[in-house]
Amino acid sequence: MTHNLLASASLVSLLIALPAMAQDAEPAALEEVVVTAARTQLPRSAMPSTVEVIGEAEIAQQTALGSSAVETVATLIPSFSPTRQKLSGAGETLRGRSPLFLVDGVPQSTPLRDDSRDGFTIDPFFIDRVEVIFGSNAIQGVGATGGVVNYVTAAPPAEGAGPSGRVQAATTFDDGEFGDSVGGKLAGIIGQDFGRFDLTVGAAYEARGAYYDGGGRRIGVDGTQGELQDSLSWSLFTKAGFDLTPDRRLELMINHFELEGDGDYVMLPGDRDIGLPTTSVRGVAPGVQPSNDVSSAALSYTDADVLGGTLRAQLFAHDYAGVFGGGTFGTFQDPAIAPIGTLYDQSANNSEKLGFKLDWQGDIAPLPGLSALVGVDALRDTTWQGLILTGRDWVPETRYESLAPFVQLNQRLFDGRLNLSGGLRYETVTLIVDDFETLWSYNGGQQVDGGEPGFEELLSNVGATFEVVPGLKAYGSFAQGFSMADVGRVLRGIDDPGQDVDTFLDISPVITDNYEIGLEYRRGGFDASIAAFRSETDKGARLVLVNGVFEVAREATEIEGVEVSARYAVSDTVRLGGAYASLEGRSDTDDDGAVDEDLDGANISPDRLILWAETDLTEALSLRLQAGRYFERSFDGQPAANDFEGYDLVDAVAVWRAGFGDVSLGVQNLLDEDYISYNSDTTRPTDDKSYFAGRGRTVTLGVTRRF
């Protein structure tokens, strides 16, 4: 832990020292950004929790490295797990728990059968900013036990403006293996305001090549969970708005995203004992290739003049299908179809959501400074997982229906220096499962009687922010969030006769209590923050590896940590920054009421330090250098083979603003570090097939033209 303490001390020293460097600067008001994911019209400065807004410029920098949307979040947020660089994000957490992914407020996650594909549902080209709310909360409903990641899509065109937009062309390749590593991307978006009506449309297409590690080896393909390398994706985006009156607006957003593997490679297992990672060779992958096929739509209505406040209504739909790779797995065998050991099959997870959000926010006139947010949410999520080659059901159709009224109050005192907040959300949930039969591999197949179990939960939050001196905010909060514990895994695995869904299935939600205190300082060109948090649940959902398959253990878990960040504008042309996160998590594995074992790499991220520097060399040329240190970690109670060795990554981005457009050159893993990815290094200690290395030095050259 010595290096962790040194890193934390260094950043704390930076927090102390840099304000003195900026002491002559005029006080700057706390950033007045309204975070739409919080569903309030309060400024960010009035929110009693850690919030990060990744803006358009930062997204452009990270995607210049060839990064995905979720990679951008993972790179810039130190308490977000390192990505697996695969289509699956299993084990990727925020503050050690699962975040809820949204696109313009539309939920993308699939909690009933969590397949961890929700990070790849939109092309980053269509994202204007990313709002990250840290810690469990229930304001967006089910799924936000680790926080909320909301992708906010392209804004409407400027009022009265003619056609405007941008086009992009880019290529990505490994610097040492140019051939099959080459990938390319074409994307464009255009919008126009026609008066009372505005329209924005866009399209993106990307072909990805093979990935290579720092040792020049082709990285192994994950033929089961799905791949990003050797894949094709395309996306269509539309946003149309109609101003009914100056105060009333109707807006429609539609996003469609597809990503599918090419299947040009097959895996060669590695050897953990000698440190040889899994690799790939040319070949034809069997079956239907793993893919994501996602459509989201939202129809939103806003009226800014209802009872002195603003009424908002959103009707949304989300349709997701995720295909996984196949095999002659024991689970898929059935002698009535083929001899045991010969039956090849593969699964597809499906989720169809339909819901609405209705809320009103305004001031409560009799009490100066008091504002209220009141509303109700409804959601129907129908999920099932089938075996697509034989037409069998693996997870039966499961319908989740919820209705949740809520109220949130905020009281401004002392001219806004003190903000007190509190809220309640009442969740009523019913889970509907018809009679079904499990696969033959579960003791010959079991007939299970359906049922309609449910639960009701009252979730609360309370918090306060206080402006200590101009530019310095202190805050504290308590908030509850909830999620489901992947009931699909439980239902598909029933192997005892005579079971009934009403009595067998434990659908009690994962209720997380999040406690947080923090300081934020903004003065002149200096921004800094420090937050300490604790998250606990009496009945969590820890992933446990059983016979090569991750199952869900309902255990008490406790996670605590600290996050520190700072950024300083040295001059008009030079900016520096850093961030650090340290997390510790433990679980009650023997159900004695006390936590006894560390959470492993499938359930918590490593401690991490991020440092970066930006400079504008000229008006036309800018550079960014960023470095991340993932600290080594051992896990008490886990096999020594799961110990994490740690690694360092350095990236660089240069942008030349030429007359014909912006030319970007991004180099990911600049020092060509040869490393094993965090998830591979800390899970499945005896599995040589999932011993994946991370990408080596990768170059992305792109041109973006705005008009």
Side-chain angles (χ1 to χ4, degrees):
M1 294 294 291
T2 302
H3 53 263
N4 294 6
L5 295 174
L6 288 174
S8 184
S10 298
L11 275 177
V12 171
S13 299
L14 186 64
L15 293 180
I16 296 171
L18 285 181
M21 299 168 62
Q23 62 185 353
D24 294 330
E26 291 298 319
L30 290 173
E31 187 177 351
E32 295 300 297
V33 173
V34 174
V35 180
T36 60
R39 301 183 66 173
T40 71
Q41 296 175 355
L42 296 172
R44 175 177 165 181
S45 59
M47 298 180 62
S49 59
T50 301
V51 176
E52 185 74 30
V53 178
I54 302 172
E56 184 179 4
E58 292 173 293
I59 294 172
Q61 286 175 333
Q62 298 307 314
T63 53
L65 294 164
S67 301
S68 64
V70 70
E71 187 85 29
T72 294
V73 176
T75 298
L76 299 177
I77 306 297
S79 54
F80 198 100
S81 296
T83 68
R84 299 173 63 176
Q85 299 176 356
K86 305 292 185 183
L87 184 55
S88 172
E92 295 174 8
T93 60
L94 175 60
R95 286 187 173 179
R97 301 194 188 277
S98 298
L100 171 62
F101 286 91
L102 307 169
V103 172
D104 285 347
V106 179
Q108 308 291 298
S109 303
T110 58
L112 296 183
R113 173 67 277 275
D114 184 11
D115 61 11
S116 302
R117 294 274 193 88
D118 40 10
F120 294 94
T121 63
I122 186 172
D123 193 285
F125 188 76
F126 305 127
I127 300 174
D128 264 8
R129 71 178 187 273
V130 182
E131 301 170 339
V132 183
I133 300 177
F134 293 65
S136 57
N137 64 85
I139 197 63
Q140 292 286 353
V142 62
T145 54
V148 173
V149 178
N150 185 35
Y151 298 134
V152 181
T153 63
E159 185 176 351
S164 62
R166 54 195 165 93
V167 292
Q168 182 184 83
T171 182
T172 300
F173 53 89
D174 181 272
D175 73 325
E177 298 289 341
F178 187 77
D180 63 354
S181 73
V182 177
K185 181 173 183 175
L186 293 172
I189 188 169
I190 184 172
Q192 183 172 351
D193 182 75
F194 298 94
R196 295 177 64 184
F197 174 74
D198 56 77
L199 178 65
T200 301
V201 295
Y205 174 84
E206 184 170 5
R208 301 169 187 83
Y211 291 177
Y212 285 81
D213 64 20
R217 299 173 293 264
R218 190 184 288 123
I219 294 173
V221 294
D222 189 336
T224 302
Q225 296 301 320
E227 269 295 342
L228 297 178
Q229 63 173 319
D230 185 38
S231 69
L232 297 173
S233 67
W234 63 275
S235 185
L236 297 175
F237 175 81
T238 298
K239 182 176 283 186
F242 185 69
D243 296 321
L244 304 172
T245 70
D247 293 322
R248 298 172 182 169
R249 178 174 172 83
L250 193 64
E251 187 172 274
L252 174 67
M253 183 278 294
I254 300 175
N255 172 66
H256 180 77
F257 177 85
E258 290 189 26
L259 187 153
E260 183 174 1
D262 270 351
D264 296 328
Y265 300 92
V266 293
M267 173 198 295
L268 283 184
D271 190 331
R272 290 179 181 266
D273 292 336
I274 63 174
L276 180 66
T278 304
T279 187
S280 302
V281 295
R282 285 278 186 178
V284 179
V288 178
Q289 296 310 301
S291 63
N292 264 18
D293 188 338
V294 188
S295 296
S296 295
L299 180 63
S300 303
Y301 172 75
T302 304
D303 189 335
D305 187 18
V306 175
L307 300 176
T310 299
L311 177 71
R312 294 171 301 191
Q314 184 187 70
L315 177 66
F316 65 84
H318 178 71
D319 189 358
Y320 162 79
V323 175
F324 291 81
T328 54
F329 307 127
T331 302
F332 296 166
Q333 301 307 299
D334 188 332
I337 302 175
I340 298 297
T342 66
L343 181 58
Y344 183 97
D345 215 336
Q346 58 190 119
S347 75
N349 195 31
N350 302 270
S351 174
E352 297 176 353
K353 294 183 179 67
L354 184 65
F356 71 79
K357 300 177 181 182
L358 177 66
D359 61 61
W360 175 90
Q361 181 172 356
D363 295 332
I364 307 301
L367 297 173
L370 179 64
S371 63
L373 171 71
V374 295
V376 61
D377 295 343
L379 174 66
R380 172 179 288 180
D381 183 342
T382 304
T383 296
W384 70 98
Q385 187 173 13
L387 299 181
I388 60 177
L389 300 185
T390 56
R392 294 175 289 168
D393 289 334
W394 191 8
V395 174
E397 183 174 285
T398 305
R399 192 162 76 247
Y400 172 99
E401 296 181 350
S402 73
L403 188 68
F406 62 89
V407 59
Q408 188 77 24
L409 301 177
N410 188 83
Q411 177 68 59
R412 298 175 67 251
L413 298 170
F414 307 116
D415 295 326
R417 289 186 62 190
L418 175 64
N419 285 270
L420 304 176
S421 62
L424 296 171
R425 181 183 178 98
Y426 187 67
E427 283 283 346
T428 58
V429 172
T430 302
L431 197 70
I432 302 170
V433 184
D434 292 334
D435 297 348
F436 69 97
E437 182 179 1
T438 61
L439 298 180
W440 176 87
S441 57
Y442 297 104
N443 270 345
Q446 305 299 325
Q447 293 288 338
V448 181
D449 292 335
E452 297 186 9
F455 65 83
E456 298 179 0
E457 288 288 344
L458 182 64
L459 304 162
S460 62
N461 69 84
V462 62
T465 69
F466 181 65
E467 187 181 28
V468 182
V469 296
L472 177 63
K473 179 185 87 169
Y475 65 88
S477 65
F478 164 80
Q480 292 182 305
F482 81 103
S483 189
M484 301 297 292
D486 199 342
V487 297
R489 287 182 185 267
V490 179
L491 290 173
R492 75 186 189 188
I494 294 176
D495 56 6
D496 292 328
Q499 299 300 324
D500 184 291
V501 168
D502 280 319
T503 57
F504 174 85
L505 185 61
D506 179 7
I507 71 161
S508 57
V510 179
I511 304 292
T512 52
D513 295 337
N514 189 81
Y515 305 85
E516 182 172 350
I517 58 172
L519 289 171
E520 290 186 1
Y521 183 87
R522 290 186 176 90
R523 184 180 175 91
F526 178 68
D527 294 354
S529 67
I530 182 169
F533 66 90
R534 179 180 176 85
S535 174
E536 57 189 30
T537 178
D538 293 333
K539 205 168 190 180
R542 183 172 69 95
L543 292 176
V544 180
L545 193 63
V546 179
N547 297 325
V549 177
F550 279 104
E551 300 294 349
V552 178
R554 302 302 306 272
E555 301 169 349
T557 58
E558 297 177 359
I559 300 171
E560 57 186 22
V562 61
E563 297 159 337
V564 186
S565 67
R567 61 181 67 197
Y568 179 56
V570 179
S571 67
D572 291 339
T573 60
V574 178
R575 298 164 295 279
L576 305 174
Y580 174 73
S582 177
L583 285 79
E584 296 289 343
R586 294 179 67 79
S587 181
D588 179 12
T589 61
D590 57 9
D591 198 27
D592 67 351
V595 294
D596 57 280
E597 283 192 10
D598 286 349
L599 294 178
D600 63 10
N603 295 277
I604 199 167
S605 61
D607 297 344
R608 180 153 61 123
L609 174 67
I610 300 170
L611 297 172
W612 57 266
E614 295 175 348
T615 180
D616 300 322
L617 297 179
T618 68
E619 290 185 359
L621 181 62
S622 61
L623 301 175
R624 177 183 171 97
L625 189 68
Q626 60 188 34
R629 168 62 178 166
Y630 297 88
F631 293 107
E632 64 271 13
R633 166 171 271 178
S634 58
F635 304 93
D636 179 38
Q638 300 294 323
N642 278 350
D643 289 355
F644 177 53
E645 295 183 1
Y647 52 83
D648 303 291
L649 296 178
V650 179
D651 306 323
V653 178
V655 178
W656 173 44
R657 288 171 284 277
F660 56 85
D662 294 345
V663 180
S664 63
L665 177 64
V667 183
Q668 195 174 42
N669 193 357
L670 181 67
L671 303 182
D672 211 16
E673 174 88 354
D674 194 6
Y675 67 98
I676 300 298
S677 68
Y678 176 69
N679 184 271
S680 292
D681 201 15
T682 58
T683 61
R684 301 181 183 270
T686 62
D687 186 354
D688 289 335
K689 292 182 178 180
S690 62
Y691 194 49
F692 298 114
R695 296 185 76 177
R697 185 186 297 119
T698 306
V699 179
T700 299
L701 179 63
V703 179
T704 302
R705 179 175 176 83
R706 299 177 183 273
F707 57 90

